[in-house]
Amino acid sequence: MEDKVKFEIEFPIHASPQLLYQYISTPSGLSEWFSDNVNSRGELFTFIWDDSEEQAKLLSKKSGERVKFRWLEDEEENLSCYFEIRIQVDEITKDVSLMVTDFAEEDEVDEAKMLWDNQISDLKQVLGSV
């Protein structure tokens, strides 16, 4: 299996870090924008879309700041990739951004970025920060 390549995207977002954290770290928050439904049992999260579901393990989280997941499929293939959603606040301007770090096959990076674009766009709709 070829290694996936890491990429990072920044999304400026108009919302408080506390509110944002609820949307990126809880099953109910994630199901508002990331997938149709999300269940969690301990550190195992099940993301459900129309007719498919994927499981991810919560690798780490820091309250009010970031969450990091690894898809079980990647873990089974011994890939060290993950996806992380981090809230970044500019110290001077107080502007809030979501930093997304993810991995994709080299020929699928643009597609993956577009997917994140759509996901974050949904999040902005939910937050009313469009």
Side-chain angles (χ1 to χ4, degrees):
M1 177 84 207
E2 218 179 283
D3 278 350
K4 294 183 176 185
V5 290
K6 182 178 179 179
F7 63 90
E8 195 170 80
I9 337 174
E10 179 174 355
F11 297 96
I13 205 155
H14 299 290
S16 76
Q18 295 77 10
L19 178 65
L20 260 183
Y21 187 72
Q22 295 306 309
Y23 280 95
I24 67 171
S25 65
T26 65
S28 61
L30 285 161
S31 65
E32 295 265 341
W33 65 278
F34 189 76
S35 66
D36 299 334
N37 198 1
V38 182
N39 298 316
S40 74
R41 222 180 241 115
E43 55 188 33
L44 193 64
F45 281 64
T46 304
F47 295 92
I48 301 159
W49 288 273
D50 291 336
D51 51 3
S52 69
E53 62 178 57
E54 295 274 335
Q55 289 191 311
K57 189 171 167 185
L58 178 65
L59 298 177
S60 66
K61 71 179 184 179
K62 186 169 183 186
S63 189
E65 198 176 294
R66 63 183 161 77
V67 289
K68 189 181 206 176
F69 292 96
R70 174 173 298 136
W71 296 112
L72 287 191
E73 191 179 289
D74 289 340
E75 190 162 280
E76 287 163 9
E77 294 179 21
N78 286 322
L79 296 174
S80 60
C81 32
Y82 58 87
F83 69 97
E84 181 180 61
I85 307 170
R86 198 172 76 245
I87 300 165
Q88 186 171 292
V89 181
D90 185 294
E91 287 184 23
I92 298 164
T93 64
K94 299 294 179 220
D95 287 344
V96 177
S97 290
L98 266 188
M99 303 298 292
V100 173
T101 304
D102 199 357
F103 290 77
E105 302 291 335
E106 209 163 320
D107 59 348
E108 294 175 359
V109 171
D110 288 343
E111 203 176 299
K113 286 182 177 180
M114 277 174 38
L115 184 65
W116 275 110
D117 242 5
N118 290 335
Q119 302 289 73
I120 300 299
S121 168
D122 289 351
L123 174 60
K124 287 179 176 180
Q125 295 268 209
V126 169
L127 293 167
S129 92
V130 183

